[in-house]
Amino acid sequence: MEIKQESKFKKLFKRYGVLSLACVFSLAIALTIALCVKSNEGKPVSTDNIKFELPMNNAVVVKDYADDHLQFNESLKRWEIHLSVDLSSENSEVFSVADGIIASVSTDSLNGSVVKIEHADGFVSVYSSLAEDVKVKEGDKVTKGQAIGNASDTATNESKNGSHLHFTLLKNGLEVDPNNYLDLQNK
Ligand SMILES: [Zn+2]
């Protein structure tokens, strides 16, 4: 009888013991991952998955990104936060900074012609003050370095800057400093 009971226990352990060990093990892994993710909150996100290329060749920065101080807007005659980088180059061609899909192409008097491109990892690049003959349309697939249009002075809110590209980079819907991702200052 005793032997029978023991073998019954062994059978039960064989059936469920391994299973519960596996459960405990996977629970531990899940907990570790959860803790790791939590401890990463607020730290800079790695962008190793996506490498950006410059939106213009041989461009100079006309007006830089700044989220900690106001900059004077000569065109609108007012102080404002400039969460973008204005670039100017003799060659006005503008290129997609990464592979992506054209999310929108629009034109309004304040910003001129504007192209929005969706990339991987929650990045969106926005190209404002483009000439009206934009080379892409909504839904188009673009590759890194593909020409999408030309910088111009179509944005009346920055017309005093002359022909330039007003370049904005968004990560998960929020403006980020493009200088953290692109070598804009050294070309
Ligand atoms: Zn600008």
Side-chain angles (χ1 to χ4, degrees), residues 87-137:
L87 296 165
S88 172
S89 172
E90 258 181 56
N91 179 352
S92 62
E93 258 194 315
V94 172
F95 312 99
S96 175
V97 292
D99 293 351
I101 290 168
I102 305 296
S104 67
V105 176
S106 59
T107 300
D108 68 88
S109 61
L110 265 186
N111 303 297
S113 288
V114 181
V115 172
K116 236 181 227 187
I117 307 179
E118 270 179 22
H119 309 287
D121 297 345
F123 282 104
V124 171
S125 56
V126 188
Y127 311 76
S128 305
S129 194
L130 295 177
E132 273 179 39
D133 59 335
V134 168
K135 295 181 171 71
V136 287
K137 60 181 193 308

Side-chain angles (χ1 to χ4, degrees), residues 63 82 84-86 158 161 164-167:
K63 192 180 206 178
H82 192 249
S84 305
V85 177
D86 291 344
E158 289 186 336
N161 289 7
H164 75 287
L165 165 71
H166 175 90
F167 177 74

Side-chain angles (χ1 to χ4, degrees), residues 132-170:
E132 273 179 39
D133 59 335
V134 168
K135 295 181 171 71
V136 287
K137 60 181 193 308
E138 194 180 321
D140 281 358
K141 249 187 171 180
V142 289
T143 52
K144 177 158 59 179
Q146 185 176 329
I148 56 167
N150 290 83
S152 184
D153 56 359
T154 54
T156 54
N157 65 359
E158 289 186 336
S159 56
K160 289 260 166 76
N161 289 7
S163 174
H164 75 287
L165 165 71
H166 175 90
F167 177 74
T168 314
L169 190 63
L170 305 167

